[in-house]
């Protein structure tokens, strides 16, 4: 077993030299020349198994699609728009090759629109299903939650595909948005996704990324702020089985003062070759005075032969802030927890089940979409049945 | 029946410098219905005794025997010991995030009884136990030991003692860190437990304070990994007055 558990802090060395770029998150660009084919040694690609991406990065044109089954409560619309309209609406430009390719190849975009002041009580569901990993699918989606609107959006991915998606979440001033992306793919799917969020003034956003299925899943969740007072909570949960690569890359770009970001990702690994990657990054720009940020990643290693990479980063250009911190921990079962439970008569198998259940339950109860929460708890139970508890039958 | 018999128990713990012997031949018998107090200075091995009997993996038994009603405790796994009727109230109860107190209690009760408790009586039992220990009714929804105050952790241990109702309870410094009100509440819980027929209690403590509420049948002075002297409740008073000095000098 290799467990990498790194904590780094890179404080801008030359404070007199204004620096506006994050070393891990190059500025967005639609120009493919800005996103050359990686060789795997690049900082932003070094954890990803390029050979298993099944040629997505070559960028072949394709008009294959996923099947969309949608639940659109009254007042919510889903329409096709042109690439030009996407730009006019304020789409966040792609900042890596797969998302730039998605923008170039998707042939227009979809707009999920929640009008200003709308209060959408029930979740908006987008269920996306792929038929085969032979299908190469490019996707470009804008989610707009208008000023002072409230909405919950759940995007659920199932089946299989080679899928690259650029998703922008544009949250208006004072709006409250809850967005969930669930990767519940079949074993052979490859999914490269970028969810980029712009938080309006005094707006509140929760984004949750949950990855269970797929051969390779590499998700970005990026957040930036259009004005002061924005609050973003970025949650994640993943469960990697034998041979799976699940990668989550976070970026909170504090572009405005008095903004907040809170990141919590929890993952479990089991089986030979299960690999998870979590890269957290926070950039506190010079203008971002009075901000608060905390990022945390916890991994539970359930068997031999797994690898969990966890790298929290913090780039600070101003010290005039409320607070900034990060934590990362990767561990096996806690012997003390197991002892405590077993000393009450609970069998080792049941104690392990309780601990993992608790580990995830802690996060699942924060998702805020009851229908999905139940489904998630069931999936966790099913994952556990596969391996963790197998040795005890 | 509940007879816990410890004979010549030797226990070591592994350190960077190799194994270190902590218990150097402990012999102690808790007969049916008896309460024994073990008192001793820091580092004398009192907690090691408690954790070794419960089967904590950190400790290696190198000699001696422990039996409960004649059954070989040392041959049992940690959970088998609990199912055989042993309970350890811990000095530092462990946090289990995301697992609610009520889920934990029900799981433990089910494991001990071999079947799920009857829902209606169980809910009532849990509420009564929590209430008697001055724990808020919402306590059941909190994660096990997470964010509990020191006093809440100890009261939660004793609530478990009452609900799980073992044959023999080992209380490892349950009195430490308790204010006088909490000490009373906790002691009352222990007294309710031992008022039942045939329950054994092994009470480990630094201080005689708790012995005013839970009167022991026997007091043992524990020094340097073994019992240095045994007596009745009056021995505790002598310790209160004179301290451990005479035993410590003897041990050196």
């Amino acid at each position: 077993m290799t467990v990498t558990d790194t904590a780094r802090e890179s404080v801008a060395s030359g404070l007199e030299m204004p620096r506006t770029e994050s070393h891990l998150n190059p500025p967005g660009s639609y120009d493919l020349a800005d996103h050359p084919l990686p060789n795997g040694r690049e900082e932003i690609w070094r954890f990803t198994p390029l050979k298993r991406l099944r040629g997505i990065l070559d960028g072949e044109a394709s008009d294959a699609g996923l099947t969309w089954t949608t639940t659109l409560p009254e007042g919510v619309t889903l329409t096709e728009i042109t690439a030009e309209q996407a730009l006019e609406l304020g789409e966040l430009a792609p900042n890596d090759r797969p998302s730039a390719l998605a923008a170039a190849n998707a042939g227009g975009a979809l707009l999920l629109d929640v009008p200003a002041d709308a209060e959408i009580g029930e979740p908006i569901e987008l269920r996306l299903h792929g038929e085969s990993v032979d299908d190469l699918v490019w996707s470009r989606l804008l989610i707009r939650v208008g000023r002072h609107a409230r909405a919950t959006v759940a995007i659920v991915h199932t089946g299989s595909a080679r899928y690259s998606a650029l998703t922008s979440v544009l949250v208006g001033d004072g709006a409250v948005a809850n967005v969930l992306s669930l990767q519940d793919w079949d074993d052979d799917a490859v999914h490269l996704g970028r969810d980029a969020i712009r938080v309006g003034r005094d707006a509140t956003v929760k984004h949750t990324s949950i990855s269970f299925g797929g051969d390779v899943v590499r998700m970005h969740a990026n957040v930036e702020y259009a004005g002061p007072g924005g609050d973003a909570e970025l949650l994640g949960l993943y469960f990697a089985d034998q041979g799976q690569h699940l990668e989550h890359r976070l970026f909170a770009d504090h572009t405005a003062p008095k903004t907040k970001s809170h990141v919590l990702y929890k993952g479990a690994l089991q089986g030979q070759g299960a690999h998870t990657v979590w890269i957290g990054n926070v950039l506190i720009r010079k203008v971002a005075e009075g901000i608060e940020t905390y990022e945390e990643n916890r991994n539970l290693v359930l068997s031999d032969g797994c690898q969990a990479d966890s790298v929290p980063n913090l780039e600070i250009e101003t010290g005039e802030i409320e607070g900034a911190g990060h934590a990362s921990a990767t561990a096996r079962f806690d012997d003390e927890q197991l002892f405590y439970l077993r000393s009450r008569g609970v069998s080792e198998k049941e104690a392990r089940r309780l601990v993992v259940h608790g580990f995830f339950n802690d996060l699942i109860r924060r998702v805020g979409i009851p229908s999905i929460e139940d489904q998630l708890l069931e999936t966790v139970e099913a994952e556990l049945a596969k391996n963790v508890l197998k040795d005890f039958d | 029946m509940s007879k816990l018999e410890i004979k010549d128990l030797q226990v070591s713990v592994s350190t960077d410098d190799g194994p270190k012997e902590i218990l150097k031949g402990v012999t102690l018998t808790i007969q049916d219905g008896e309460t024994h107090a073990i008192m001793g200075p820091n580092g004398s091995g009192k907690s090691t005794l408690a954790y070794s009997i419960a089967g904590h993996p950190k400790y290696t038994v190198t000699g001696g025997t422990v039996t409960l009603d004649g059954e070989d405790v040392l041959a049992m796994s940690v959970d088998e010991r609990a199912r055989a009727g042993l309970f350890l109230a811990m000095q530092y109860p462990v946090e289990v995030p995301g697992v609610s107190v009520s889920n934990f209690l029900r799981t433990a009760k089910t494991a001990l009884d071999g079947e799920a408790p009857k829902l209606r009586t169980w809910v009532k039992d849990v509420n009564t136990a929590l209430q008697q220990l001055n724990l808020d009714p919402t306590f059941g929804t909190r994660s096990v030991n997470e964010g509990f105050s020191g006093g809440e952790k100890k009261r939660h241990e004793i609530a478990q003692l009452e609900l799980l109702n073992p044959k023999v309870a080992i209380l490892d410094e349950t009195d430490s860190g308790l204010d006088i009100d909490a000490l009373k509440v906790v002691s009352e819980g222990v007294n309710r437990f031992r008022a039942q027929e045939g329950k054994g209690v092994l009470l480990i403590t630094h201080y005689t304070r708790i012995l005013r509420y839970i009167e022991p049948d026997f007091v043992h002075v524990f020094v340097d990994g073994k019992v240095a002297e045994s007596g009745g409740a009056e021995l505790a008073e002598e310790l209160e007055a004179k301290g451990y000095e005479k035993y410590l000098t003897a041990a050196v």
Side-chain angles (χ1 to χ4, degrees), chain A residues 90-331:
Chain A
E91 182 184 51
L92 291 135
N95 73 345
D96 69 353
R97 184 171 176 86
S99 51
L101 287 169
N105 292 338
L110 286 171
L111 172 66
L112 179 74
D113 203 17
V114 178
D117 299 312
E119 296 245 357
I120 309 299
E122 62 178 299
I124 301 162
E125 288 187 7
L126 309 178
R127 294 187 177 268
L128 280 51
H129 187 79
E131 289 305 324
S132 161
V133 74
D134 295 332
D135 292 343
L136 176 61
V137 181
W138 304 105
S139 163
R140 184 174 183 180
L141 170 68
L142 277 78
I143 299 172
R144 183 170 65 171
V145 180
R147 288 188 58 164
H148 300 294
R150 262 175 192 272
T152 295
V153 183
I155 307 172
V156 178
H157 305 89
T158 56
S160 192
R162 288 177 288 158
Y163 186 57
S164 178
L166 169 62
T167 304
S168 298
V169 182
L170 310 170
V171 183
D173 293 348
V176 178
N178 185 359
V179 178
L180 171 109
S181 179
L182 171 59
Q183 290 68 247
D184 202 6
W185 296 103
D186 291 347
D187 288 347
D188 58 356
V190 178
H191 182 177
L192 306 177
R194 177 175 191 263
D195 290 357
I197 304 158
R198 185 183 292 122
V199 185
R201 182 181 182 118
D202 295 325
T204 304
V205 178
K206 182 186 287 187
H207 177 276
T208 309
S209 182
I210 298 179
S211 303
F212 289 127
D215 179 51
V216 178
V217 172
R218 185 187 201 258
M219 304 296 292
H220 285 269
N222 290 16
V223 57
E224 62 178 59
Y225 301 84
D231 186 342
E233 183 178 20
L234 304 175
L235 302 174
L237 192 152
Y238 45 88
F239 205 132
D241 288 325
Q242 183 168 1
Q244 264 189 313
H245 177 93
L246 302 179
E247 179 169 347
H248 293 87
R249 310 181 69 93
L250 284 299
F251 182 40
D253 189 353
H254 283 274
T255 45
K258 295 195 186 308
T259 48
K260 288 182 188 171
S261 64
H262 192 125
V263 177
L264 174 60
Y265 270 62
K266 293 181 109 172
L269 301 87
Q270 61 181 0
Q272 197 65 37
H275 187 198
T276 65
V277 178
W278 181 85
I279 310 293
N281 191 24
V282 175
L283 171 59
I284 303 170
R285 293 182 187 262
K286 213 158 197 128
V287 297
E289 293 191 355
I291 67 104
E292 256 183 76
T293 176
Y294 194 78
E295 49 175 352
E296 182 177 354
N297 176 226
R298 307 233 165 249
N299 295 298
L300 191 53
V301 181
L302 301 173
S303 76
D304 288 338
C306 308
Q307 181 171 334
D309 289 292
S310 177
V311 190
N313 301 273
L314 189 53
E315 304 179 72
I316 301 178
E317 293 180 339
T318 176
E320 300 296 317
I321 57 171
E322 286 295 316
H326 58 221
S328 166
T330 297

Side-chain angles (χ1 to χ4, degrees), chain A residues 266 334-348 350 353-355 357-359 361-362 365, chain B residues 51 55-56 77-79 82-83 87-88 90 94-95 97-99 103-104 107-108 111-112 145 157 160 164:
Chain A
K266 293 181 109 172
D334 181 342
D335 285 341
E336 296 300 326
Q337 284 181 346
L338 292 180
F339 174 72
Y340 186 74
L341 296 169
R342 294 182 67 197
S343 77
R344 273 40 178 162
V346 178
S347 69
E348 181 165 9
E350 185 67 7
R353 197 193 63 81
L354 263 186
V355 168
H357 186 87
F359 179 77
N361 188 34
D362 204 27
R365 65 189 174 187
Chain B
Y51 280 84
H56 194 287
S77 68
V78 176
D79 42 297
R83 293 198 294 273
F87 178 88
L88 170 61
M90 299 191 196
V94 184
E95 292 182 7
V99 177
N103 183 10
F104 164 64
T107 305
L112 290 169
N145 293 317
E157 293 293 285
Q160 291 172 54
L164 303 179

Side-chain angles (χ1 to χ4, degrees), chain B residues 21-24 41 43-45 222-228 247-248 251-252:
Chain B
E21 192 180 29
I22 299 186
L23 298 189
K24 301 171 179 173
S44 58
F222 209 75
V223 180
D224 193 28
K226 40 183 194 257
V227 175
Y247 304 102
L248 289 172
V252 176

Side-chain angles (χ1 to χ4, degrees), chain A residues 23 69 79 84 86 91 131 173 183 282 290 293 327 360 370 375 377 381 387:
Chain A
H23 77 290
T69 309
T79 50
E84 290 71 33
E91 182 184 51
E131 289 305 324
D173 293 348
Q183 290 68 247
V282 175
T293 176
F360 283 128
Q375 184 187 338
L377 284 171
E381 291 294 326
N387 197 325

